[in-house]
Amino acid sequence: MNDFRQIILLLAFFALVLGVFGCESVEHLDEGNSDADTDTDTDTDTDTDTDSDSDSDSDSDSDSDSDADGDGGDTICDEQDFEIDITPVRLVFLLDISGSMGTTPLGQAKSAINNILGIWAGQQIEFGFDHYPIYGDSCGINTTIPIAPAPGTEASITTMVNGLTATGATPTEEAMINYLSFGYAASFPESGVESYLVLITDGSPNCSSGNDVSFANTTAALLANQIKTFAIGFNYTSPSLNAVAAAGGMPAPYNVPIQVTDSTTMQNAFNDIAQIVITCIFDVQSPDASADPENVNFYFDGLVLPMNDGCGGSGEGWQWVDAAHTQVEFCPVSCDDIKDGDPPEITAAWGCPTIID
């Protein structure tokens, strides 16, 4: 009996020991599960934080994009349109209609003049027209310019040119001297406005004793009076015409007479002259007093043209002409777009940061 009781006690003891170790094993498993839960929570938190940060960065980019879009908009930049006025150029044709011009040379001159008027009508060049001699007086000249240079004169010039016939002698120098008289041609010259006289002749002057020296002096006086002169020889060259070209104030190759032989070569000469005289400097109209010159952009056909101070690199863009920001100049490549006979629509606006090349 005692042995039986001892066996029972031993069994109970072993059961107790197994129970203790069994509890410890479960506890360790629970601890392991608890760690796993902790890791899960950590992973979840980490993923959530990362996703949250990523979303936040995305929001930041979205705001940045919105600002970038806003740079071109009226609401974000408070952009305001303002006007720029192209600086006019005034050009007067002084046409020899002496008897030697005959039917063919004069007809070719008419065609070329009408063509260039059509190309540049309503644009930067303000055309005027003069001729010599006057009808009924072989050496007579006009006492006032027939058509002074001004906007919108093209139709009037065409009408006058088409009605001309060749007559009389060749009072070239006398016709040029007219432009030294104040008031002969309204607003020609005018301070701050480029003024050009285009002399077109086919023969030597024969109404005065003028020579190449006097022609040089007359042309130099015109230049001092702010009038530059081109000399076009229609199948003609002479010392007097050479003197006019040399003193006319134009750079090479226009400091020698331009030789033409027909309407095509004369048209080419006029096209070249137009390219030379057209300026790409614009007058900036005064905007609101709050306007900032570092927040201005110019546009060709609605596309922004970057600022290019010094006009280097691509040669495109624009720059300020003066420290007061009253004039802007378009760089050579962009200027060519203005000079090609079909210029872009040029607009400007204050209020958004200047786009810089």
Side-chain angles (χ1 to χ4, degrees):
M1 184 70 177
N2 288 334
D3 292 337
F4 179 76
R5 293 181 65 180
Q6 288 177 349
I7 291 170
I8 294 299
L9 289 173
L10 285 173
L11 290 174
F13 173 79
F14 283 118
L16 177 62
V17 170
L18 288 174
V20 171
F21 281 104
C23 289
E24 288 178 349
S25 297
V26 171
E27 184 177 345
H28 285 302
L29 182 61
D30 289 342
E31 288 175 1
N33 290 338
S34 175
D35 290 343
D37 291 342
T38 301
D39 291 341
T40 300
D41 293 341
T42 302
D43 292 342
T44 300
D45 292 341
T46 302
D47 292 342
T48 301
D49 292 342
T50 303
D51 292 342
S52 176
D53 291 342
S54 175
D55 291 342
S56 176
D57 291 341
S58 175
D59 291 343
S60 176
D61 291 342
S62 175
D63 291 341
S64 177
D65 292 343
S66 175
D67 290 343
D69 292 341
D71 288 346
D74 294 343
T75 303
I76 302 298
C77 293
D78 191 26
E79 190 173 67
Q80 298 180 1
D81 293 341
F82 70 96
E83 293 183 358
I84 56 173
D85 286 342
I86 194 165
T87 303
V89 172
R90 295 187 181 136
L91 184 150
V92 172
F93 294 108
L94 179 58
L95 178 63
D96 174 4
I97 62 168
S98 62
S100 60
M101 286 290 284
T103 301
T104 299
L106 184 56
Q108 292 174 339
K110 290 179 181 182
S111 175
I113 290 173
N114 288 336
N115 187 282
I116 198 71
L117 293 175
I119 291 174
W120 292 100
Q123 298 183 44
Q124 186 181 16
I125 302 176
E126 298 178 356
F127 292 100
F129 182 78
D130 198 355
H131 64 82
Y132 64 91
I134 59 175
Y135 293 121
D137 187 344
S138 183
C139 285
I141 56 174
N142 290 303
T143 55
T144 58
I145 188 172
I147 301 176
T153 59
E154 293 85 5
S156 297
I157 294 174
T158 295
T159 299
M160 175 170 284
V161 165
N162 290 343
L164 293 174
T165 57
T167 184
T170 313
T172 303
E173 187 173 12
E174 290 83 351
M176 293 176 65
I177 290 173
N178 271 339
Y179 290 91
L180 296 177
S181 300
F182 178 77
Y184 174 76
S187 301
F188 186 83
E190 180 181 357
S191 178
V193 178
E194 292 288 326
S195 300
Y196 298 89
L197 189 67
V198 180
L199 171 64
I200 308 158
T201 183
D202 78 326
S204 297
N206 54 16
C207 287
S208 70
S209 59
N211 54 32
D212 54 326
V213 175
S214 64
F215 269 90
N217 291 338
T218 296
T219 308
L222 289 174
L223 184 59
N225 199 34
Q226 306 303 311
I227 297 175
K228 298 177 182 178
T229 304
F230 289 94
I232 296 180
F234 203 107
N235 289 311
Y236 163 73
T237 187
S238 71
S240 60
L241 198 62
N242 289 338
V244 170
M250 299 307 303
Y254 303 100
N255 58 347
V256 297
I258 303 170
Q259 297 298 310
V260 298
T261 58
D262 53 25
S263 59
T264 299
T265 53
M266 185 173 289
Q267 181 60 58
N268 291 338
F270 289 163
N271 287 336
D272 290 343
I273 289 171
Q275 296 293 319
I276 292 297
V277 304
I278 288 173
T279 177
C280 286
I281 296 176
F282 286 66
D283 294 325
V284 176
Q285 298 302 298
S286 299
D288 184 85
S290 63
D292 182 351
E294 294 184 359
N295 287 276
V296 59
N297 286 292
F298 295 90
Y299 305 84
F300 277 13
D301 290 333
L303 299 177
V304 67
L305 192 68
M307 181 182 184
N308 182 0
D309 196 18
C311 289
S314 67
E316 296 180 313
W318 60 274
Q319 63 179 348
W320 292 113
V321 173
D322 58 342
H325 308 106
T326 62
Q327 288 186 318
V328 61
E329 177 182 16
F330 292 100
C331 298
V333 173
S334 299
C335 186
D336 287 342
D337 293 335
I338 297 174
K339 292 183 175 183
D340 69 0
D342 185 22
E345 179 185 8
I346 304 172
T347 55
W350 295 93
C352 293
T354 299
I355 302 300
I356 300 175
D357 188 357

